[in-house]
Amino acid sequence: MHVGNDIVDMSSPYVKGKSDDRKFVQRVLTPREHQVLMKSHKQDSLLQLFWAAKETAYKITAKICPAVSSAPRRYDVCLDTPESGKDIRGRVTTPFGLVHVRALQNQAFIHCFGAQTSPAAKTVRYGIETINDLPQPDFCRSSKFQSRMVRASARRKIASALSLSENDVTITNTGHEKHSLFPVVYINGEESGISISLSHDGRFLAYAFLIQHEASP
């Protein structure tokens, strides 16, 4: 069972007015999604919600088939709950079946995470942190630094969930060839089977992980 996640910093200059970019909208949205967007009173936030859900679904699907297309229009998002809510549920139709997603949103961010089945999606553990209060803000916004920080945050959360020391948990991109593009969780040097997804954007770091024995079939 695989998990994915994506976070969007809503203060990014790339967010405001993005729904007016017709070329971008046509490139990333399916015709059905475009119809939903045109009826929304919050088009910028809905566009980012669609984007985060597509990214989440792609990260899951690419773990199943690394060669799968990442073209956003190949991932059709259907929301079960109003897009204006704070806790949104939905599904994404991918080239390899459905992905079930959940999105938390407010004025500051949109965080989407999900799994291949609805029961598993309900057991996904997640976390969001901000880098606003860290020293050297320019350095802290570098992709390399944010990647290191989000891995450290996820390690702490996983260790706590399993009643382990942080030193027992390692997250790297090494492992079997099929994992080469994705982070892998090791416990005391052994691959754990815990599915994990990491994301960062602007001021925010986010992660989601799934402990397999907690995931219902």
Side-chain angles (χ1 to χ4, degrees):
M1 189 66 64
H2 298 296
V3 66
N5 97 122
D6 191 61
I7 193 159
V8 177
D9 184 343
M10 295 302 288
S11 71
S12 168
Y14 300 104
V15 170
K16 187 175 182 180
K18 194 64 175 178
S19 60
D20 295 327
D21 185 339
R22 293 185 178 181
K23 289 185 178 180
F24 178 79
V25 170
Q26 291 176 355
R27 181 172 67 84
V28 303
L29 297 189
T30 65
R32 187 196 59 77
E33 291 168 340
H34 188 262
Q35 289 182 356
V36 175
L37 183 72
M38 291 299 99
K39 296 177 182 177
S40 174
H41 297 295
K42 297 183 177 181
Q43 293 186 4
D44 282 344
S45 60
L46 179 56
L47 179 60
Q48 298 305 319
L49 176 57
F50 281 147
W51 178 264
K54 290 170 184 283
E55 283 288 295
T56 297
Y58 167 69
K59 289 177 181 178
I60 293 170
T61 308
K63 293 176 183 178
I64 302 170
C65 178
V68 70
S69 170
S70 62
R73 284 168 60 93
R74 298 290 303 276
Y75 299 81
D76 186 66
V77 181
C78 181
L79 303 177
D80 296 331
T81 50
E83 77 274 6
S84 58
K86 295 181 179 179
D87 189 346
I88 301 162
R89 312 297 172 100
R91 303 174 308 282
V92 183
T93 301
T94 81
F96 285 85
L98 286 179
V99 164
H100 296 260
V101 295
R102 178 183 176 191
L104 308 177
Q105 72 169 354
N106 54 38
Q107 292 182 342
F109 64 79
I110 292 174
H111 182 217
C112 185
F113 52 91
Q116 293 159 275
T117 69
S118 181
K122 294 177 183 178
T123 63
V124 171
R125 301 185 185 223
Y126 63 91
I128 305 164
E129 295 190 17
T130 178
I131 64 171
N132 268 1
D133 299 326
L134 294 176
Q136 300 176 305
D138 291 338
F139 173 71
C140 292
R141 290 182 186 275
S142 73
S143 179
K144 186 175 182 179
F145 177 84
Q146 291 184 357
S147 178
R148 188 163 66 246
M149 288 297 296
V150 72
R151 287 168 189 266
S153 297
R155 282 179 58 223
R156 288 193 294 270
K157 189 75 170 185
I158 292 172
S160 175
L162 298 177
S163 300
L164 297 173
S165 163
E166 285 184 46
N167 294 330
D168 296 330
V169 182
T170 306
I171 302 174
T172 73
N173 277 60
T174 58
H176 300 311
E177 183 178 352
K178 66 180 179 179
H179 292 315
S180 61
L181 297 177
F182 306 104
V184 181
V185 179
Y186 293 84
I187 305 296
N188 293 318
E190 297 290 333
E191 192 169 339
S192 67
I194 295 173
S195 181
I196 189 169
S197 176
L198 308 173
S199 180
H200 54 82
D201 184 49
R203 300 168 294 162
F204 297 101
L205 314 171
Y207 56 85
F209 64 91
L210 186 64
I211 298 174
Q212 298 297 337
H213 66 76
E214 295 181 333
S216 302

